[in-house]
Amino acid sequence: MMKCLFFLCFCLFPILVFSSTFTSQNPINLPSESPVPKPVLDTNGKKLNPNSSYRIISTFWGALGGDVYLGKSPNSDAPCPDGVFRYNSDVGPNGTPVRFIPLSTNIFEDQLLNIQFNIPTVKLCVSYTIWKVGNLNAHLRTMLLETGGTIGQADSSYFKIVKSSKLGYNLLYCPISRHFLCPFCRDDNFCAEVGVVIQNGKRRLALGQQNPLDVLFQEV
């Protein structure tokens, strides 16, 4: 009996040693879980709703504040207002309401979506409510945000909302294809931050600025 037990232990010992060695030197890498997408929240802490309207407001007050609004671009021959601007102060008119149209059913951080000014308009001007990025402006040395985009198409009308490193959120322009000209887009994610430039005395939303625009979303 003792001989049998000794023989059994002698046979199992190499297996245990090999198993321990294999486990320590060859750890099994289990697949990591995908991060759970975070919903974008409005000023009341509620999730943004694709069916609701919001004003894009600043995280600052006074001269540093100002809502985003739809206005006429200088020297534009468009039949409808086609510029995305920001008021020079939070004292004065409210911004133009927008709605966010995600590719999925919900509005999450760092996911593609379209942005549309949600206002009554004539049929001719419907496309002039949808945000896009225009061509390079040689004078201002940037690409201006304008309207005339499309919804759900592979063009220059895609944006993302990401958490700001300071307060609130930032807007990113993210072409759905690298075939689109975007000299301000980063190589790692092919997105560009949305900031502000001064055009004819007005604040105009544009790409590639050193200080991205920090915003909040106020439900209308």
Side-chain angles (χ1 to χ4, degrees), residues 151-173:
I151 295 175
Q153 302 297 316
D155 60 7
S156 57
S157 303
Y158 280 105
F159 297 85
K160 289 182 179 181
I161 300 171
V162 297
K163 198 70 176 176
S164 170
S165 61
K166 299 175 184 176
L167 183 65
Y169 294 93
N170 296 142
L171 299 176
L172 302 181
Y173 165 61

Side-chain angles (χ1 to χ4, degrees), residues 50-118:
N51 298 316
S52 298
S53 296
Y54 301 88
R55 290 190 179 93
I56 302 177
I57 65 175
S58 173
T59 58
F60 299 98
W61 297 272
L64 296 177
D67 297 3
V68 172
Y69 70 97
L70 173 64
K72 185 73 173 177
S73 296
N75 304 318
S76 173
D77 57 0
C80 313
D82 61 340
V84 184
F85 295 88
R86 180 184 168 211
Y87 286 116
N88 292 341
S89 170
D90 69 342
V91 178
N94 290 324
T96 309
V98 304
R99 70 186 187 109
F100 301 99
I101 308 166
L103 290 182
S104 60
T105 55
N106 295 302
I107 302 171
F108 295 112
E109 293 180 18
D110 202 24
Q111 295 199 0
L112 292 173
L113 49 78
N114 298 121
I115 305 175
Q116 181 179 28
F117 285 114
N118 196 17

Side-chain angles (χ1 to χ4, degrees), residues 116-169:
Q116 181 179 28
F117 285 114
N118 196 17
I119 54 173
T121 186
V122 297
K123 185 176 182 180
L124 174 66
C125 295
V126 170
S127 67
Y128 286 97
T129 61
I130 304 166
W131 290 30
K132 71 171 187 176
V133 170
N135 297 324
L136 184 67
N137 185 299
H139 176 67
L140 296 174
R141 297 182 180 181
T142 186
M143 300 171 75
L144 302 175
L145 268 65
E146 57 188 41
T147 59
T150 61
I151 295 175
Q153 302 297 316
D155 60 7
S156 57
S157 303
Y158 280 105
F159 297 85
K160 289 182 179 181
I161 300 171
V162 297
K163 198 70 176 176
S164 170
S165 61
K166 299 175 184 176
L167 183 65
Y169 294 93

Side-chain angles (χ1 to χ4, degrees), residues 18 20-21 94 108 181 183 202:
F18 174 79
S20 175
T21 304
N94 290 324
F108 295 112
L181 175 67
K202 297 180 179 180

